[in-house]
């Protein structure tokens, strides 16, 4: 009986110890990474390669990521992830809400950009704030267009994966370094544009690519009320549409930057006006276009179009 009792106690004790193990010490040879959008998934995949399983919650090229509503299955994926890679802020607040009880390592791009305090609580990201009407316009939340920040996300993802799968640590860091080199090439192209076109005025229908345009030395002179309305999913006023139109008909801008995923009658009207007045139009997207899975190729193609438009 004593031997039986001892065996039972040892077994129970072992279960208790295992149940109390520190999640920070867990390891796996194939971490599960969940990204809020296909853009952040592309960054994570560039780092994780064949030694990570990367899933994007939002991957609909024709839709607006701001309006994405996660399903129960999406929430379960967040809760079960080893690593979460997401934009942060109000852009995809549902990730932090769902991850409040998760042990996943969180790679928050907005925090890496310095847009949030590191002790920003989960309670500040209620689900009701992730739609357009919850935006904080003090900071441009489209940090996936801020190339230095994207490189930081890649490095942070490599660090997170290396801790979870130390047997592949060098693999992750080498891939992050290669990705960072690609980012440096893109930044070099933007610097070359700035050297040639610094101060050139353009107009964007929505402040999607503000970080990229600034790096290229371009000045967005679109009416602020127009772009704010579009970003908030509202109709710009007739006066704001007219003011935008005057920039085009007066040929006061060199290029129209058009967000193809934030479209309404007002944006279509300025697009048609730009085309009829031979103003070059550069389409930019908020997620990866259909058939594109590589972040660097996506941004390179957009910079290609910008270079061509400015050269006209």
């Amino acid at each position: 009986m004593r031997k039986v009792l001892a065996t039972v106690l040892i077994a129970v004790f072992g279960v208790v110890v295992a149940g109390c193990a520190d999640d920070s010490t867990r390891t796996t040879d194939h971490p599960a990474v969940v990204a809020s959008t296909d853009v952040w998934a592309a960054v994570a995949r560039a780092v994780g390669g064949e030694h990570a399983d990367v899933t994007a919650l939002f991957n609909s090229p024709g839709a607006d990521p701001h309006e994405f509503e996660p399903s129960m299955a999406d929430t379960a994926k967040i809760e079960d992830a080893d690593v979460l890679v997401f934009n942060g802020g109000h852009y995809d607040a549902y990730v932090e809400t769902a991850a409040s009880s998760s042990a996943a390592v969180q790679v928050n791009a907005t925090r890496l950009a310095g847009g949030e305090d590191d002790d920003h609580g989960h309670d500040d990201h209620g689900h009701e704030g992730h739609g357009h009407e919850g935006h904080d316009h003090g900071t441009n939340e489209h940090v996936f267009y801020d190339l230095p920040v994207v490189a930081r996300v890649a490095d942070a993802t490599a660090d997170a994966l290396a801790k979870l799968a130390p047997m592949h640590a060098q693999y992750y860091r080498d891939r992050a370094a290669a990705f960072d080199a690609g980012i440096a090439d893109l930044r070099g192209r933007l610097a070359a544009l700035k050297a040639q076109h610094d101060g050139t005025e353009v107009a964007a229908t929505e402040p999607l690519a503000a970080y990229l345009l600034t790096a290229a030395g371009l000045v967005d002179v679109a009416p602020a009320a127009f772009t704010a309305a579009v970003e908030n999913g509202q109709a710009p006023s007739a006066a704001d549409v007219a003011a935008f139109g005057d920039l085009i008909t007066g040929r006061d801008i060199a290029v129209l930057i058009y967000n193809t995923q934030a479209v309404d009658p007002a944006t279509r009207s300025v697009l048609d006006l730009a085309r009829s007045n031979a103003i070059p139009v550069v389409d930019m997207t908020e997620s990866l276009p259909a058939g594109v899975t590589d972040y660097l190729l996506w941004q390179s193609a957009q910079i290609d179009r910008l270079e061509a438009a400015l050269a006209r």
Side-chain angles (χ1 to χ4, degrees), residues 99-222:
S100 59
S101 59
S102 169
V105 180
Q106 298 185 21
V107 180
N108 182 325
T110 299
R111 290 188 189 178
L112 290 172
E116 291 180 358
D117 294 332
D118 285 340
D119 60 355
H120 198 56
H122 292 295
D123 290 341
D124 293 334
H125 289 297
H127 185 73
E128 68 277 7
H130 98 269
H132 278 298
E133 50 285 298
H135 292 176
D136 174 5
H137 297 289
T139 301
N140 189 315
E141 63 188 359
H142 303 102
V143 292
F144 45 90
Y145 269 88
D146 189 334
L147 298 183
V149 170
V150 174
R152 287 180 220 161
V153 169
D155 293 342
T157 302
D159 289 342
L161 292 173
K163 290 177 182 177
L164 289 162
M167 67 290 290
H168 303 310
Q170 194 58 52
Y171 172 88
Y172 298 136
R173 291 187 173 122
D174 287 347
R175 288 180 66 91
F179 181 85
D180 291 351
I183 289 289
D185 288 343
L186 296 179
R187 294 182 67 189
R189 290 172 62 188
L190 294 177
L193 281 177
K194 184 173 183 178
Q196 294 179 310
H197 303 284
D198 195 23
T200 296
E201 294 184 343
V202 300
T205 56
E206 199 252 10
L208 169 66
Y211 294 111
L212 187 146
L213 298 178
T214 298
L218 306 178
V219 179
D220 184 0
V221 296

